[in-house]
Amino acid sequence: MSAKNMHINVYERNWMIFSAIMLVLFATAVSVAAFGMGIQVPAPEQRVDPRTVATDPNSPWSNPGLREVSPGRYDAYILAHAIPNWEYLPKEITVPVGSRVSFYVTSSDVQHGFNIQNTNANFMVLPGQVSKLTITFKNPGTYNFICTEYCGVGHGVMYGAIIVTP
Amino acid sequence: MAKKDKDDDEFRPTGTIAVLTIFVITLIAIWTTIYMILVGRGSTL
Amino acid sequence: MKQYQLSTGEKKFIGSHLLVAILALAVGSLFGPLQAFEHAGWDFYPYLKPFIKSYYQGLTVHGVLNALVWTTFFIMGFLTFNVTFALKRPLKNPTLNKVGFWLMVVGVVAAAIPILANEATVLFTFYPPLKANWAFYVGLTLVVVGSWVEGWGLFMTFAGWRKENPNVRSPFVAFASILTALLWQICTLGVAVEILTMLLPWSLGLIEGVDPQLARTYFWFTGHPLVYFWLLPAYISWYAMLPKQAGNGKMFSDSLARLSFWIFLVLSTPLGFHHQYVDPGVPPVWKFIHSMLTFGVFFPSMMTAFTVVASLEHAGRKQGGKGALAWIGKLNWSDPSVAAQLLAGILFFFGGIGGLTNASYNVNLVLHNTAFIPGHFHLTVATAVTLSFMGISYWLLPYLTGRKLWNPKWAVAQAWTWFIGMIIFSNAMHIVGLLGAPRRVPLGLAPYVPAEWNSRLFQVGVGGAILFVSGALYLTVMLKTALNKEKVTEEVEVPMAEAMQDPALTPDWLDRWAPWIYGSLALIVLVYGPVLFDMIKNIALTSPGFRVW
């Protein structure tokens, strides 16, 4: 077999160059948001035993809820469960506007999701894993958090709310 | 061996460029809109 | 010149793939509109209670039959046709292919029984610890293994051809079909390991629990290339058949078409983490690497866009088309096969846009598991792929059966109704997703739906209704064609577009398998190896099963 050169039409070559540049620009924009603005995806936080996470007294999820760690900074431990009735514990959290809240969410049964409406807090919740993201509530109002992964017939009623007071 | 038509050599895909220009403008517009939503919502760390 | 003749037995064999595929589509598509109607507030599920217990049982039927069964059977049939027809030779070992086919059929039946008995309402992603009846996992395994066996039969056929034709450029259609089957063999390793090492022994009671994060990682190892397994057969038709049908056009570039297929082989597996950006147990650095590779795999789709549109433009110009865009009108729109595939291609532009956005690393935070996602994949698998397959069947079924396509005008109407219905449905899903609506939820009943979603949810229902009509039209045309008394006078001509440049001039490195296969395996090991090694080392089989439906 002889070596042959690839024949590329000039229009197509320019299109390929343009495509490559465009994709590089998108990748750059994404990187700037991730590494420059701190808009990151969840990282491995902690592993837990889903069979005991809700009952073990040493587990923060045996007493889920909001803890103030310093003025205006909170940790929210939230347990998602399908059994018995598809809900988050706690169902409601109240924080003052401007609060920075770290969400630590896990499941004691099946996979769930956690999406605080109109925010960047949107992640999977898996049994055995702890999902964490931190966001700041800049505006007062009610922010529903909704289950975004199928977790059984009650999936569609599984939600809670964050009340951000002025 | 495939026969080669003369008009194939003269074929300039200008219409293709027109179609793809529309596509790329739409792509960049939609992608950027959603990217700006992300940026507007702020840090997650 | 007379075209290569397939034997009656071969035609029957390929036709049986089509039969199973279309039956699956018929049942599966019944439930699609039911989901859409529910969103609009017209809930029919209460009336189905004697047979279908919940919205989610319906959604499982829809997902499994449409996304897995319709696609896999159609694809294996189409690839078998492509390889034998393009290489002009029979299958090397037809028994092997038959064994593969029947394994798939048994698998579908085995999975269907628990699904219909409401013992496997786990959706088509079957994420543990939702625990289905063991027969569901056995069924899925058999479908995958059957498709492997059919793939081996195709590889042997290709190898036989290569042995006799050592220095000849492989025909593009055969090359691309073999590559698609090969991609499938590589990528299904993920789901095979998931089922055989975790889900099956667990459902049989041999192990107590599973590791859900590891299971998701195995699943998405297969899950993304699965998309390309669906898409590449449509690409084959768009590249090498559609230009001919649309107006006697030629394939713009044989060498770039091959190059883009090679890039698909190499890049479509090692980027599965772009479905797991917001998973808790995967380190962000690996998510980021996979996102960069995802931008890489978008590149061959951009090349495909150029080559396909240019080949179509070539056809349009040949038919006297003028202007920057007016040539599009000169394409052979009255042929239902052409109309269906052109419309599928138009919507695929938007599918590509949504896909790139989803897959852009942190941008996924805005979209993950919102209604945007089903909006997106109804443009890709449910239109680019499904409507193209429908288009292909408009010539393939008459070719295989020797019966005339029944009422081509209805078939054209079918393509347009699918197009219009999907625009309405999908546009509404994308927007309501951006507003925050989650996927996989009977939104008609959900307690948190704000008023601003309602008009969009109504549009979801309207789109679903039009799609229901379109689906019914398709099944009518297929059934009436299969039973048509009117025979075709001569065997239907198989559309095969020549390449503009003689494929013999395509560089040899684009027709060699080993370097590309080693390359893709090496890349997989590189970008999946460390994470999988770590996850397996720290495996925690702590999740018992749940039946929460």
Coordinates of all heavy atoms in Angstrom, one line a residue, chain A residues 7-45:
Chain A
H7 N -7.1 14.4 1.0 CA -7.5 15.5 0.3 C -8.6 16.2 1.1 O -9.6 15.6 1.4 CB -8.1 15.1 -1.1 CG -8.9 16.0 -1.8 ND1 -8.4 17.0 -2.6 CD2 -10.3 16.2 -1.8 CE1 -9.4 17.8 -3.0 NE2 -10.5 17.3 -2.6
I8 N -8.5 17.4 1.5 CA -9.5 18.1 2.2 C -9.9 19.4 1.5 O -9.0 20.3 1.2 CB -9.0 18.5 3.7 CG1 -8.6 17.2 4.4 CG2 -10.1 19.2 4.4 CD1 -8.1 17.4 5.8
N9 N -11.1 19.5 1.2 CA -11.7 20.7 0.5 C -11.4 21.9 1.4 O -11.5 21.9 2.6 CB -13.2 20.4 0.3 CG -13.9 21.6 -0.1 OD1 -14.2 22.5 0.7 ND2 -14.3 21.7 -1.4
V10 N -11.1 23.0 0.7 CA -10.7 24.2 1.5 C -11.8 24.7 2.4 O -11.6 25.2 3.5 CB -10.2 25.3 0.5 CG1 -11.2 25.7 -0.5 CG2 -9.7 26.5 1.3
Y11 N -13.1 24.6 1.9 CA -14.2 25.1 2.7 C -14.3 24.2 4.0 O -14.5 24.7 5.1 CB -15.6 24.9 2.0 CG -15.8 26.0 0.9 CD1 -15.1 25.8 -0.3 CD2 -16.6 27.1 1.1 CE1 -15.3 26.8 -1.3 CE2 -16.8 28.0 0.1 CZ -16.2 27.9 -1.1 OH -16.4 28.8 -2.0
E12 N -14.1 22.9 3.8 CA -14.3 22.0 4.9 C -13.1 22.2 5.9 O -13.3 22.1 7.1 CB -14.3 20.5 4.4 CG -14.6 19.6 5.6 CD -15.3 18.3 5.2 OE1 -15.2 17.9 4.0 OE2 -15.9 17.7 6.1
R13 N -11.9 22.5 5.3 CA -10.8 22.7 6.2 C -11.0 23.9 7.1 O -10.8 23.9 8.3 CB -9.5 22.9 5.4 CG -8.3 23.0 6.4 CD -7.0 23.3 5.7 NE -6.7 22.5 4.5 CZ -6.3 23.0 3.4 NH1 -6.1 24.3 3.3 NH2 -6.1 22.2 2.4
N14 N -11.5 25.0 6.5 CA -11.8 26.2 7.3 C -12.9 25.9 8.3 O -12.8 26.4 9.5 CB -12.3 27.3 6.4 CG -11.1 27.8 5.5 OD1 -9.9 27.6 5.9 ND2 -11.4 28.5 4.5
W15 N -13.9 25.1 8.0 CA -14.9 24.7 8.9 C -14.4 24.0 10.1 O -14.7 24.2 11.2 CB -16.0 23.9 8.2 CG -17.0 23.3 9.1 CD1 -17.1 22.0 9.4 CD2 -18.0 23.9 9.9 NE1 -18.1 21.7 10.3 CE2 -18.7 22.9 10.6 CE3 -18.4 25.3 10.0 CZ2 -19.8 23.2 11.4 CZ3 -19.5 25.5 10.9 CH2 -20.2 24.5 11.6
M16 N -13.4 23.1 9.8 CA -12.8 22.3 10.9 C -12.0 23.2 11.8 O -12.0 23.0 13.0 CB -12.0 21.1 10.3 CG -12.8 20.0 9.7 SD -11.9 18.9 8.6 CE -10.8 18.1 9.6
I17 N -11.3 24.1 11.2 CA -10.5 25.0 12.0 C -11.4 25.9 12.9 O -11.2 26.0 14.1 CB -9.6 25.9 11.1 CG1 -8.5 25.1 10.4 CG2 -8.9 27.0 12.0 CD1 -7.8 25.8 9.3
F18 N -12.5 26.4 12.3 CA -13.4 27.2 13.0 C -14.0 26.4 14.2 O -14.1 26.8 15.3 CB -14.5 27.7 12.1 CG -15.7 28.3 12.9 CD1 -15.6 29.6 13.3 CD2 -16.8 27.6 13.1 CE1 -16.6 30.2 14.1 CE2 -17.8 28.1 13.9 CZ -17.7 29.4 14.3
S19 N -14.4 25.1 13.9 CA -15.0 24.2 14.9 C -14.1 24.1 16.1 O -14.5 24.1 17.3 CB -15.4 22.9 14.3 OG -16.3 23.0 13.3
A20 N -12.8 23.8 15.8 CA -11.9 23.6 16.8 C -11.7 24.8 17.7 O -11.7 24.7 18.9 CB -10.5 23.2 16.2
I21 N -11.6 26.0 17.1 CA -11.5 27.2 17.8 C -12.7 27.4 18.7 O -12.6 27.7 19.9 CB -11.3 28.4 16.9 CG1 -9.9 28.3 16.2 CG2 -11.4 29.7 17.7 CD1 -9.7 29.3 15.1
M22 N -13.9 27.2 18.2 CA -15.1 27.4 19.0 C -15.1 26.5 20.2 O -15.4 26.9 21.3 CB -16.3 27.2 18.1 CG -17.6 27.5 18.8 SD -19.0 26.9 17.8 CE -18.9 25.1 18.1
L23 N -14.8 25.2 20.0 CA -14.8 24.3 21.1 C -13.7 24.7 22.2 O -14.0 24.6 23.4 CB -14.6 22.9 20.6 CG -15.7 22.3 19.8 CD1 -15.4 21.0 19.1 CD2 -17.0 22.1 20.7
V24 N -12.6 25.2 21.7 CA -11.6 25.6 22.7 C -12.1 26.8 23.5 O -11.9 26.9 24.7 CB -10.2 25.9 21.9 CG1 -9.3 26.7 22.9 CG2 -9.6 24.7 21.4
L25 N -12.8 27.7 22.8 CA -13.3 28.9 23.5 C -14.4 28.4 24.6 O -14.4 28.9 25.7 CB -14.0 29.8 22.5 CG -13.0 30.6 21.7 CD1 -13.7 31.5 20.7 CD2 -12.1 31.5 22.6
F26 N -15.2 27.5 24.2 CA -16.2 27.0 25.2 C -15.5 26.3 26.4 O -15.8 26.6 27.5 CB -17.1 25.9 24.5 CG -18.2 26.5 23.6 CD1 -18.9 25.7 22.8 CD2 -18.6 27.8 23.7 CE1 -19.9 26.2 21.9 CE2 -19.6 28.3 22.9 CZ -20.2 27.5 22.0
A27 N -14.5 25.5 26.1 CA -13.7 24.9 27.1 C -13.1 25.9 28.0 O -13.0 25.7 29.3 CB -12.7 23.9 26.5
T28 N -12.6 27.0 27.4 CA -12.0 28.0 28.2 C -13.0 28.7 29.1 O -12.7 28.9 30.3 CB -11.3 29.1 27.3 OG1 -10.5 28.4 26.3 CG2 -10.5 30.1 28.1
A29 N -14.2 29.0 28.6 CA -15.2 29.7 29.4 C -15.6 28.8 30.6 O -15.8 29.3 31.7 CB -16.4 30.0 28.5
V30 N -15.7 27.5 30.3 CA -16.1 26.6 31.4 C -15.0 26.6 32.4 O -15.3 26.6 33.6 CB -16.3 25.2 30.7 CG1 -16.2 24.1 31.8 CG2 -17.7 25.1 30.0
S31 N -13.8 26.6 32.0 CA -12.6 26.5 33.0 C -12.6 27.8 33.8 O -12.3 27.8 35.0 CB -11.3 26.3 32.2 OG -11.4 25.2 31.4
V32 N -12.8 28.9 33.2 CA -12.8 30.2 33.9 C -13.9 30.2 35.0 O -13.7 30.5 36.1 CB -13.1 31.4 32.9 CG1 -13.4 32.7 33.7 CG2 -11.9 31.6 32.0
A33 N -15.1 29.7 34.6 CA -16.2 29.6 35.6 C -15.8 28.6 36.7 O -16.1 28.9 37.9 CB -17.5 29.1 35.0
A34 N -15.1 27.5 36.4 CA -14.8 26.5 37.4 C -13.7 27.0 38.3 O -13.8 26.9 39.5 CB -14.5 25.2 36.7
F35 N -12.6 27.4 37.7 CA -11.4 27.7 38.5 C -11.2 29.2 38.9 O -10.5 29.5 39.8 CB -10.2 27.2 37.7 CG -10.3 25.7 37.3 CD1 -10.5 25.3 36.0 CD2 -10.3 24.7 38.3 CE1 -10.7 24.0 35.7 CE2 -10.5 23.4 38.0 CZ -10.6 23.0 36.7
G36 N -11.9 30.0 38.1 CA -11.8 31.5 38.4 C -12.9 31.9 39.3 O -12.7 32.7 40.2
M37 N -14.1 31.4 39.1 CA -15.3 31.9 39.8 C -15.8 30.9 40.9 O -16.8 31.2 41.5 CB -16.5 32.2 38.9 CG -16.1 33.2 37.7 SD -17.6 33.4 36.7 CE -16.8 33.9 35.1
G38 N -15.1 29.8 41.0 CA -15.5 28.8 42.0 C -16.9 28.2 41.7 O -17.5 27.8 42.7
I39 N -17.3 28.1 40.5 CA -18.5 27.4 40.2 C -18.1 25.9 39.9 O -17.7 25.6 38.7 CB -19.3 28.0 39.0 CG1 -19.5 29.5 39.3 CG2 -20.6 27.3 38.8 CD1 -20.2 30.2 38.1
Q40 N -18.1 25.1 40.9 CA -17.6 23.8 40.8 C -18.6 22.7 40.9 O -19.7 23.0 41.5 CB -16.4 23.6 41.8 CG -15.1 23.8 41.2 CD -14.6 22.7 40.2 OE1 -15.4 21.9 39.7 NE2 -13.4 22.8 39.8
V41 N -18.3 21.5 40.5 CA -19.2 20.4 40.6 C -18.8 19.7 41.9 O -17.7 19.9 42.5 CB -19.0 19.4 39.4 CG1 -19.5 20.1 38.2 CG2 -17.6 18.9 39.2
P42 N -19.7 18.8 42.5 CA -19.4 18.2 43.8 C -18.1 17.3 43.7 O -17.8 16.7 42.7 CB -20.6 17.3 44.1 CG -21.7 17.9 43.2 CD -21.0 18.4 42.0
A43 N -17.4 17.3 44.9 CA -16.2 16.5 45.0 C -16.5 15.4 46.1 O -17.3 15.7 46.9 CB -15.0 17.4 45.4
P44 N -15.8 14.3 46.1 CA -16.0 13.3 47.1 C -15.8 14.0 48.5 O -14.8 14.6 48.8 CB -14.9 12.3 46.9 CG -14.6 12.4 45.4 CD -14.8 13.9 45.1
E45 N -16.8 13.8 49.3 CA -16.8 14.5 50.6 C -16.6 13.5 51.8 O -15.7 13.6 52.5 CB -18.1 15.2 50.8 CG -18.4 15.8 52.1 CD -17.4 17.0 52.5 OE1 -16.9 17.6 51.5 OE2 -17.2 17.2 53.7

